[in-house]
Amino acid sequence: MTAPPTNLPAARSTAGPAPVRTTPHGRRRVRRRSWRWHLVLAPIALVFATPFVQMALTSLTPESQINKFPPRFFPSTLTLAGFGKLFAESDILRWTANTVAVSAVAILFHLVLCSLAGYGFARLKFAGRDVGFFAIVGTIMIPTQLLMVPTYVMFSRLGIIDTLAAAMVPWLASAFGIFLMRQFFLSLPVELEEAAVLDGCTRFQVFWRIVLPLARPALATLAIFTLLGSWNDLVWPLIAINDPSAFTLQLGITNFQGARRTDWSLLMAGNVVATLPLVVFFLVAQKQFIATMTFSGLKG
């Protein structure tokens, strides 16, 4: 009986490809490439940050130095007088509280409704799914100005004009939010959901326990866009709200600036209060935002 050959190649492992090990030389090359990009992007970032820095410095500059010619970028002395006058002469705390309430409701309902609708359009099969999705996405092309009059009439009949609810309702959901969540859900592997269904999970349990934890980057991105839009919204509150107690931050600052066009330190202090929360929120959630753009690619 012939003995089996001993020079056969070793059997391949079925555990998957071996992990790629990066050599010290390779890591140094990656670092050099990243530093090259930093050298290019740092001056660009500095150019975009200059207006924000100047706004913050102007809010801390005494009024006597602001009106000097030639103007100076860095003041010789700093003062908080502009912020003191802002909080003493305006109702900015109420405006900020109203805006926080509007943005919180907008983010909460956007994350819930848009994620549910996006998951339905991405995974569920029903009659008219594609037609309904494209009809919703098509509303993005409708100019906002065309919707203001019918929206005002509808809100007037509901009795919510001149209330904070008039600024909240338009931000409960959006076509862009549904589109973004659907695109992200399409990029997730279906096998994970099928395995959960085989284990006895219902469709809602699959959505809550499997899909949503994986969709955290997309949810963070949607929260960023919703916060930017609801926080900076001016045109619709300007039309729908006339009660000063229901003013949002942008509407209140706009009316406040109309009476104080020459007090630049006070006006810049108001702009700092309106801008700083957005900058902080974006810095906190920027990694999730980048992860969504690279993972889903917004492709259909």
Side-chain angles (χ1 to χ4, degrees), residues 42-254:
I44 299 177
L46 183 61
V47 171
F48 281 96
T50 299
F52 297 99
V53 175
Q54 186 177 19
M55 177 181 66
L57 291 176
T58 305
S59 67
L60 299 173
T61 303
E63 193 69 25
S64 58
Q65 295 187 24
I66 295 178
N67 298 324
K68 282 187 176 181
F69 187 84
R72 299 177 58 180
F73 188 81
F74 294 99
S76 58
T77 58
L78 300 177
T79 178
L80 294 175
F83 288 92
K85 290 190 295 183
L86 175 67
F87 285 96
E89 300 178 10
S90 69
D91 204 4
I92 194 169
L93 293 179
R94 179 185 291 273
W95 303 338
T96 304
N98 291 341
T99 306
V100 169
V102 172
S103 299
V105 171
I107 292 174
L108 176 61
F109 277 84
H110 249 76
L111 296 184
V112 174
L113 299 180
C114 292
S115 61
L116 287 172
Y119 182 75
F121 283 118
R123 290 290 189 260
L124 302 183
K125 295 181 179 180
F126 53 89
R129 182 188 65 174
D130 295 337
V131 175
F133 173 73
F134 286 111
I136 292 176
V137 174
T139 60
I140 299 177
M141 296 182 291
I142 301 177
T144 307
Q145 293 79 4
L146 295 180
L147 302 175
M148 288 184 177
V149 173
T151 303
Y152 185 91
V153 173
M154 180 177 62
F155 283 14
S156 178
R157 292 177 179 177
L158 293 174
I160 60 176
I161 293 294
D162 274 349
T163 65
L164 204 57
M168 295 179 179
V169 173
W171 289 101
L172 297 184
S174 67
F176 172 78
I178 296 174
F179 170 76
L180 176 66
M181 297 307 300
R182 174 186 179 270
Q183 300 307 105
F184 190 88
F185 290 145
L186 287 177
S187 64
L188 296 178
V190 185
E191 292 76 12
L192 294 175
E193 303 172 39
E194 294 176 347
V197 172
L198 292 177
D199 289 338
C201 292
T202 63
R203 178 63 70 176
F204 182 77
Q205 289 174 337
V206 170
F207 172 75
W208 181 258
R209 298 181 180 180
I210 305 299
V211 177
L212 275 189
L214 296 175
R216 289 177 182 174
L219 294 175
T221 302
L222 182 59
I224 291 175
F225 283 125
T226 305
L227 177 64
L228 291 176
S230 59
W231 189 279
N232 291 324
D233 191 15
L234 172 62
V235 177
W236 173 247
L238 186 63
I239 296 173
I241 299 177
N242 295 317
D243 185 5
S245 63
F247 278 1
T248 58
L249 189 58
Q250 299 297 334
L251 180 57
I253 290 178
T254 300

Side-chain angles (χ1 to χ4, degrees), residues 89-90 95 251-264 266-267:
E89 300 178 10
S90 69
W95 303 338
L251 180 57
I253 290 178
T254 300
N255 290 332
F256 186 69
Q257 288 178 347
R260 295 167 177 81
R261 293 184 179 275
T262 58
D263 198 341
W264 292 109
L266 187 148
L267 299 182

